[in-house]
Amino acid sequence: MGIELRHLRCFLAVAEESSITRAAQRLRLSQPTVSRTLAALERDVGARLVDRSTHHVSLTPQGRIFREKATAAVAAFDEALTPGRPGRPRPLRLGHAWSALGAYTTPLLRRWERELPDTPLELLRIDDRTAGLARGEVDAAVLRGRIEAPGLVAETLYLEERVAAVTADGPLAARDRLTLADLAGVPVVINEVSGVTALDLWPPGARPPATVAVTTTDDWLTAIAAGRGAGVSVVSTAETHPHPGVAYRPLPDVPRVPVLLAYRAAAAHPALPRLLEIAREVTAGAG
């Protein structure tokens, strides 16, 4: 078989992006190169892995099964090449998209440093729906909301209250708290990559008049500060991402958001069980 690591990375990029164009941009390759690499992989595997019949490509049933195996293989390769001092365990990489565990992040890191000083815990911010976990860039990830990705296991740590994010000098900022109905009269800014908000949060017939799509937390904050619309996030966003142009207000009429600790079912880091224990303990009673 002629399968190489580049074939697997190319396939995983297409699977994650659901687009050959975006996968090519991420890999810094041309679209024809990505298409040829993917076709070569399918020939070697002997199965069609990607359905190209629509503008947004999707995985076939065989592709979904292969994705889990490819993720584990790439992660194992990257782990084997991870630099480290002789006799020192490799770092446990914990990904997050924007706020980690909020107020519980520091207690988690301090507990880890006291109890496992020989195993570094690296906290990595990756603007991605699974914070790099599906691509094998991290060993575990703090995620929010419902996650549907093959090969991932997720445990709910607690539920987090939502907040509204509005322009600091706008009329909505003058109120102590807000409701979804208050936000229905202005455009809503949505982080399409790692956010926890979509239009279906509002009831049909009472939704905001327009959306402003962004792809990072920083762009989300900038759009709100500029008065392009309002946003909905969670309490930890207000704690970890203050912005002079953005005012956060409680949003009590909206269901809370699950905060998850997720990891891959295959190729788990040996210190992962201890991370789960500490995360449960520091967030106990959170909600």
PDB file of all heavy atoms in Angstrom, residues 1 27 30 40 60 65 80-81 92 115 138 146 155 171 173-174 184 191 205 211 214 223 244 252 265 267:
ATOM      1  N   MET A   1       0.837  -1.194   0.000  1.00  0.00           N
ATOM      2  CA  MET A   1       0.000   0.000   0.000  1.00  0.00           C
ATOM      3  C   MET A   1       0.879   1.255   0.000  1.00  0.00           C
ATOM      4  O   MET A   1       1.953   1.281   0.602  1.00  0.00           O
ATOM      5  CB  MET A   1      -0.913   0.016   1.222  1.00  0.00           C
ATOM      6  CG  MET A   1      -1.916  -1.139   1.245  1.00  0.00           C
ATOM      7  SD  MET A   1      -2.970  -1.074   2.701  1.00  0.00           S
ATOM      8  CE  MET A   1      -3.938   0.390   2.342  1.00  0.00           C
ATOM      9  N   LEU A  27      -4.099  23.507   4.763  1.00  0.00           N
ATOM     10  CA  LEU A  27      -2.871  22.744   4.514  1.00  0.00           C
ATOM     11  C   LEU A  27      -1.867  23.509   3.667  1.00  0.00           C
ATOM     12  O   LEU A  27      -0.750  23.025   3.448  1.00  0.00           O
ATOM     13  CB  LEU A  27      -3.227  21.426   3.821  1.00  0.00           C
ATOM     14  CG  LEU A  27      -4.091  20.442   4.624  1.00  0.00           C
ATOM     15  CD1 LEU A  27      -4.562  19.308   3.724  1.00  0.00           C
ATOM     16  CD2 LEU A  27      -3.338  19.912   5.822  1.00  0.00           C
ATOM     17  N   SER A  30      -2.792  23.462  -3.035  1.00  0.00           N
ATOM     18  CA  SER A  30      -3.802  23.807  -4.032  1.00  0.00           C
ATOM     19  C   SER A  30      -4.965  22.824  -3.938  1.00  0.00           C
ATOM     20  O   SER A  30      -4.807  21.686  -3.469  1.00  0.00           O
ATOM     21  CB  SER A  30      -3.204  23.769  -5.439  1.00  0.00           C
ATOM     22  OG  SER A  30      -2.876  22.434  -5.795  1.00  0.00           O
ATOM     23  N   ALA A  40      -6.061   9.346  -4.290  1.00  0.00           N
ATOM     24  CA  ALA A  40      -5.035   8.308  -4.137  1.00  0.00           C
ATOM     25  C   ALA A  40      -5.265   7.493  -2.873  1.00  0.00           C
ATOM     26  O   ALA A  40      -5.102   6.262  -2.865  1.00  0.00           O
ATOM     27  CB  ALA A  40      -3.647   8.953  -4.113  1.00  0.00           C
ATOM     28  N   THR A  60     -18.549   9.367   3.815  1.00  0.00           N
ATOM     29  CA  THR A  60     -19.377   8.185   3.614  1.00  0.00           C
ATOM     30  C   THR A  60     -19.330   7.345   4.892  1.00  0.00           C
ATOM     31  O   THR A  60     -18.519   7.617   5.800  1.00  0.00           O
ATOM     32  CB  THR A  60     -18.835   7.356   2.443  1.00  0.00           C
ATOM     33  OG1 THR A  60     -17.527   6.877   2.797  1.00  0.00           O
ATOM     34  CG2 THR A  60     -18.753   8.185   1.170  1.00  0.00           C
ATOM     35  N   ILE A  65     -15.781   5.610   9.593  1.00  0.00           N
ATOM     36  CA  ILE A  65     -15.015   4.571  10.292  1.00  0.00           C
ATOM     37  C   ILE A  65     -13.516   4.823  10.124  1.00  0.00           C
ATOM     38  O   ILE A  65     -12.736   4.739  11.077  1.00  0.00           O
ATOM     39  CB  ILE A  65     -15.392   3.179   9.752  1.00  0.00           C
ATOM     40  CG1 ILE A  65     -16.855   2.858  10.083  1.00  0.00           C
ATOM     41  CG2 ILE A  65     -14.460   2.106  10.330  1.00  0.00           C
ATOM     42  CD1 ILE A  65     -17.357   1.593   9.424  1.00  0.00           C
ATOM     43  N   ALA A  80       4.918  10.108  19.088  1.00  0.00           N
ATOM     44  CA  ALA A  80       6.241   9.481  19.028  1.00  0.00           C
ATOM     45  C   ALA A  80       7.335  10.501  18.768  1.00  0.00           C
ATOM     46  O   ALA A  80       8.478  10.327  19.191  1.00  0.00           O
ATOM     47  CB  ALA A  80       6.260   8.414  17.931  1.00  0.00           C
ATOM     48  N   LEU A  81       6.977  11.603  18.113  1.00  0.00           N
ATOM     49  CA  LEU A  81       7.969  12.617  17.791  1.00  0.00           C
ATOM     50  C   LEU A  81       7.951  13.784  18.753  1.00  0.00           C
ATOM     51  O   LEU A  81       8.689  14.753  18.553  1.00  0.00           O
ATOM     52  CB  LEU A  81       7.731  13.136  16.370  1.00  0.00           C
ATOM     53  CG  LEU A  81       7.900  12.117  15.240  1.00  0.00           C
ATOM     54  CD1 LEU A  81       7.756  12.803  13.894  1.00  0.00           C
ATOM     55  CD2 LEU A  81       9.253  11.426  15.324  1.00  0.00           C
ATOM     56  N   LEU A  92       0.664  16.553  28.753  1.00  0.00           N
ATOM     57  CA  LEU A  92      -0.734  16.289  28.425  1.00  0.00           C
ATOM     58  C   LEU A  92      -1.292  17.600  27.872  1.00  0.00           C
ATOM     59  O   LEU A  92      -1.308  18.616  28.556  1.00  0.00           O
ATOM     60  CB  LEU A  92      -1.511  15.847  29.669  1.00  0.00           C
ATOM     61  CG  LEU A  92      -2.900  15.245  29.428  1.00  0.00           C
ATOM     62  CD1 LEU A  92      -3.341  14.425  30.634  1.00  0.00           C
ATOM     63  CD2 LEU A  92      -3.954  16.319  29.139  1.00  0.00           C
ATOM     64  N   GLU A 115       0.269  18.020  42.261  1.00  0.00           N
ATOM     65  CA  GLU A 115       0.115  16.572  42.354  1.00  0.00           C
ATOM     66  C   GLU A 115       0.833  15.800  41.251  1.00  0.00           C
ATOM     67  O   GLU A 115       1.166  14.638  41.436  1.00  0.00           O
ATOM     68  CB  GLU A 115      -1.371  16.218  42.361  1.00  0.00           C
ATOM     69  CG  GLU A 115      -2.106  16.830  43.551  1.00  0.00           C
ATOM     70  CD  GLU A 115      -3.592  16.507  43.541  1.00  0.00           C
ATOM     71  OE1 GLU A 115      -3.989  15.551  42.836  1.00  0.00           O
ATOM     72  OE2 GLU A 115      -4.356  17.207  44.234  1.00  0.00           O
ATOM     73  N   VAL A 138      -4.508  17.740  20.342  1.00  0.00           N
ATOM     74  CA  VAL A 138      -4.503  17.714  21.803  1.00  0.00           C
ATOM     75  C   VAL A 138      -4.955  16.348  22.286  1.00  0.00           C
ATOM     76  O   VAL A 138      -5.513  15.553  21.531  1.00  0.00           O
ATOM     77  CB  VAL A 138      -5.420  18.823  22.388  1.00  0.00           C
ATOM     78  CG1 VAL A 138      -4.908  20.208  22.011  1.00  0.00           C
ATOM     79  CG2 VAL A 138      -6.860  18.639  21.922  1.00  0.00           C
ATOM     80  N   ARG A 146     -23.392  20.535  22.555  1.00  0.00           N
ATOM     81  CA  ARG A 146     -23.440  19.157  22.054  1.00  0.00           C
ATOM     82  C   ARG A 146     -22.322  18.922  21.047  1.00  0.00           C
ATOM     83  O   ARG A 146     -22.115  19.726  20.144  1.00  0.00           O
ATOM     84  CB  ARG A 146     -24.798  18.905  21.389  1.00  0.00           C
ATOM     85  CG  ARG A 146     -25.021  17.444  20.989  1.00  0.00           C
ATOM     86  CD  ARG A 146     -26.422  17.245  20.496  1.00  0.00           C
ATOM     87  NE  ARG A 146     -26.702  18.059  19.311  1.00  0.00           N
ATOM     88  CZ  ARG A 146     -27.878  18.104  18.708  1.00  0.00           C
ATOM     89  NH1 ARG A 146     -28.897  17.435  19.197  1.00  0.00           N
ATOM     90  NH2 ARG A 146     -28.053  18.863  17.635  1.00  0.00           N
ATOM     91  N   GLU A 155     -17.481  13.817  28.874  1.00  0.00           N
ATOM     92  CA  GLU A 155     -18.126  13.780  30.189  1.00  0.00           C
ATOM     93  C   GLU A 155     -18.554  15.195  30.570  1.00  0.00           C
ATOM     94  O   GLU A 155     -17.757  16.136  30.490  1.00  0.00           O
ATOM     95  CB  GLU A 155     -17.160  13.245  31.239  1.00  0.00           C
ATOM     96  CG  GLU A 155     -17.736  13.267  32.647  1.00  0.00           C
ATOM     97  CD  GLU A 155     -16.782  12.691  33.673  1.00  0.00           C
ATOM     98  OE1 GLU A 155     -16.035  11.743  33.329  1.00  0.00           O
ATOM     99  OE2 GLU A 155     -16.776  13.189  34.818  1.00  0.00           O
ATOM    100  N   PRO A 171     -28.056  50.967  23.848  1.00  0.00           N
ATOM    101  CA  PRO A 171     -29.201  51.001  24.769  1.00  0.00           C
ATOM    102  C   PRO A 171     -29.382  49.728  25.578  1.00  0.00           C
ATOM    103  O   PRO A 171     -29.832  49.781  26.729  1.00  0.00           O
ATOM    104  CB  PRO A 171     -30.397  51.255  23.840  1.00  0.00           C
ATOM    105  CG  PRO A 171     -29.924  50.816  22.481  1.00  0.00           C
ATOM    106  CD  PRO A 171     -28.472  51.126  22.443  1.00  0.00           C
ATOM    107  N   ALA A 173     -27.142  47.889  26.915  1.00  0.00           N
ATOM    108  CA  ALA A 173     -26.186  47.840  28.024  1.00  0.00           C
ATOM    109  C   ALA A 173     -26.708  48.556  29.256  1.00  0.00           C
ATOM    110  O   ALA A 173     -26.187  48.349  30.363  1.00  0.00           O
ATOM    111  CB  ALA A 173     -24.849  48.440  27.589  1.00  0.00           C
ATOM    112  N   ALA A 174     -27.733  49.378  29.114  1.00  0.00           N
ATOM    113  CA  ALA A 174     -28.283  50.122  30.258  1.00  0.00           C
ATOM    114  C   ALA A 174     -29.137  49.239  31.160  1.00  0.00           C
ATOM    115  O   ALA A 174     -29.491  49.651  32.271  1.00  0.00           O
ATOM    116  CB  ALA A 174     -29.105  51.305  29.753  1.00  0.00           C
ATOM    117  N   ALA A 184     -33.927  40.097  20.084  1.00  0.00           N
ATOM    118  CA  ALA A 184     -34.542  39.729  18.807  1.00  0.00           C
ATOM    119  C   ALA A 184     -34.651  40.898  17.839  1.00  0.00           C
ATOM    120  O   ALA A 184     -34.919  40.688  16.653  1.00  0.00           O
ATOM    121  CB  ALA A 184     -35.926  39.121  19.054  1.00  0.00           C
ATOM    122  N   ASN A 191     -20.365  32.992  16.185  1.00  0.00           N
ATOM    123  CA  ASN A 191     -19.098  32.329  15.889  1.00  0.00           C
ATOM    124  C   ASN A 191     -19.429  30.966  15.309  1.00  0.00           C
ATOM    125  O   ASN A 191     -19.818  30.046  16.030  1.00  0.00           O
ATOM    126  CB  ASN A 191     -18.256  32.189  17.164  1.00  0.00           C
ATOM    127  CG  ASN A 191     -16.902  31.560  16.905  1.00  0.00           C
ATOM    128  OD1 ASN A 191     -16.688  30.898  15.899  1.00  0.00           O
ATOM    129  ND2 ASN A 191     -15.975  31.751  17.829  1.00  0.00           N
ATOM    130  N   GLY A 205     -40.310  32.690  14.498  1.00  0.00           N
ATOM    131  CA  GLY A 205     -41.141  33.884  14.438  1.00  0.00           C
ATOM    132  C   GLY A 205     -40.693  35.000  15.349  1.00  0.00           C
ATOM    133  O   GLY A 205     -41.255  36.104  15.308  1.00  0.00           O
ATOM    134  N   THR A 211     -27.928  37.840  10.799  1.00  0.00           N
ATOM    135  CA  THR A 211     -26.778  37.297  11.512  1.00  0.00           C
ATOM    136  C   THR A 211     -25.493  37.900  10.959  1.00  0.00           C
ATOM    137  O   THR A 211     -25.424  38.291   9.793  1.00  0.00           O
ATOM    138  CB  THR A 211     -26.698  35.766  11.384  1.00  0.00           C
ATOM    139  OG1 THR A 211     -26.565  35.419   9.992  1.00  0.00           O
ATOM    140  CG2 THR A 211     -27.938  35.106  11.958  1.00  0.00           C
ATOM    141  N   VAL A 214     -18.809  35.129  12.144  1.00  0.00           N
ATOM    142  CA  VAL A 214     -17.380  35.267  12.416  1.00  0.00           C
ATOM    143  C   VAL A 214     -16.813  33.878  12.679  1.00  0.00           C
ATOM    144  O   VAL A 214     -17.567  32.909  12.831  1.00  0.00           O
ATOM    145  CB  VAL A 214     -17.109  36.194  13.625  1.00  0.00           C
ATOM    146  CG1 VAL A 214     -17.609  37.607  13.345  1.00  0.00           C
ATOM    147  CG2 VAL A 214     -17.765  35.632  14.884  1.00  0.00           C
ATOM    148  N   ALA A 223     -16.809  42.549  16.529  1.00  0.00           N
ATOM    149  CA  ALA A 223     -18.064  42.868  15.841  1.00  0.00           C
ATOM    150  C   ALA A 223     -19.090  43.457  16.800  1.00  0.00           C
ATOM    151  O   ALA A 223     -19.805  44.409  16.467  1.00  0.00           O
ATOM    152  CB  ALA A 223     -18.616  41.612  15.171  1.00  0.00           C
ATOM    153  N   PRO A 244     -13.383  46.485  26.468  1.00  0.00           N
ATOM    154  CA  PRO A 244     -13.923  47.817  26.794  1.00  0.00           C
ATOM    155  C   PRO A 244     -15.153  48.199  25.982  1.00  0.00           C
ATOM    156  O   PRO A 244     -15.950  49.030  26.418  1.00  0.00           O
ATOM    157  CB  PRO A 244     -12.748  48.759  26.498  1.00  0.00           C
ATOM    158  CG  PRO A 244     -11.855  47.995  25.567  1.00  0.00           C
ATOM    159  CD  PRO A 244     -11.996  46.562  25.969  1.00  0.00           C
ATOM    160  N   PRO A 252     -31.140  35.086  31.904  1.00  0.00           N
ATOM    161  CA  PRO A 252     -31.673  33.992  32.720  1.00  0.00           C
ATOM    162  C   PRO A 252     -32.751  33.135  32.066  1.00  0.00           C
ATOM    163  O   PRO A 252     -33.059  32.060  32.584  1.00  0.00           O
ATOM    164  CB  PRO A 252     -32.247  34.722  33.941  1.00  0.00           C
ATOM    165  CG  PRO A 252     -32.586  36.085  33.435  1.00  0.00           C
ATOM    166  CD  PRO A 252     -31.538  36.408  32.413  1.00  0.00           C
ATOM    167  N   ALA A 265     -11.280   8.148  22.212  1.00  0.00           N
ATOM    168  CA  ALA A 265     -11.398   6.796  22.767  1.00  0.00           C
ATOM    169  C   ALA A 265     -10.115   5.999  22.542  1.00  0.00           C
ATOM    170  O   ALA A 265      -9.774   5.116  23.333  1.00  0.00           O
ATOM    171  CB  ALA A 265     -12.582   6.073  22.127  1.00  0.00           C
ATOM    172  N   ALA A 267      -5.823   5.934  21.729  1.00  0.00           N
ATOM    173  CA  ALA A 267      -4.554   6.643  21.947  1.00  0.00           C
ATOM    174  C   ALA A 267      -4.641   7.655  23.087  1.00  0.00           C
ATOM    175  O   ALA A 267      -4.191   8.783  22.973  1.00  0.00           O
ATOM    176  CB  ALA A 267      -4.114   7.346  20.657  1.00  0.00           C
TER     177      ALA A 267
END
